[in-house]
Amino acid sequence: MRLRRRNTVWLGIMAALVGMVLLSGAASPQVMVTLVGMFLVALAASVIDFQPDRILNSAPKAALSRMRMSPQAREATERARRRTSYTPTGLTLLDVGLISLHSSSEGMTMRRSRSISLDDDGVRPYITLHVQPEEADRRAVIRFEIIDHDGETQYVHEMKTYLRDGELNILADHHLPLAMNERISGTGDWDLRVSVDGLLLGTLVFTTTPSLRGREKLLRRQSRLDDDSGSMLVDESQESPVSLEDLLRSHSAARREE
């Protein structure tokens, strides 16, 4: 539906005539109600351009686009719907995820994954949208957020994107540095949140694993904890361990006393 302004002149004339009849008081209440009702119907039919063919054509397109959604997109959309009831209309999230960047002696490699490592140089979020005609031909603000396992915001990036009818791939302009990033204090399950014009479109959970150096630190720390735990057990044990032979001998002596 869209507003039409070409009939405003005759609508104004009609409103003036109805007003004159109402102010004159010559017409009965039934006639007044009928005139007002007729004017409202004419106003609704003239000002609002109802296009049922567009609605009928967009319905099957929306159903087909939902069938093309990736499992990650379905999960992210469902999580977003549980958080808020206000979701963008005319936009379908077909895919969502992360692209990690890793440099080596062989060059720069990029991979699309739901699990990233702190050994990677950085990571960029991306989405794939299906844009309905009523939402096309305009600029929208796409917002990416990455929240770590402690609820701290590690990444926020907004970008203005021109929406075109059909399928649209959107990759964030900037990446989140991972290797040697001192702001990242831990790993685990993180959240990727995507919004369009301030409305939450999807929330995807992904896994962040420690770097090789971090894993070595964790192993050394665990080893020290195990050693300390073992020494505490030895120190706290003041009695000598009981052998199986002593246990059997004490059991036989108890039976003889009975």
Side-chain angles (χ1 to χ4, degrees), residues 137-141 160-163 197:
D137 302 329
R138 68 179 183 90
R139 286 190 174 273
V141 178
K160 291 185 177 180
T161 303
Y162 186 76
L163 301 181
D197 291 334

Side-chain angles (χ1 to χ4, degrees), residues 1-2 51 53-59 61-62 88-92 130-138 163-166:
M1 295 184 294
R2 62 181 180 180
Q51 297 179 340
D53 55 339
R54 173 173 291 187
I55 298 178
L56 294 176
N57 292 331
S58 62
K61 290 182 179 179
T89 58
L91 300 176
T92 303
H130 186 271
V131 183
Q132 297 291 340
E134 61 269 19
E135 289 294 325
D137 302 329
R138 68 179 183 90
L163 301 181
R164 292 181 174 84
D165 183 10

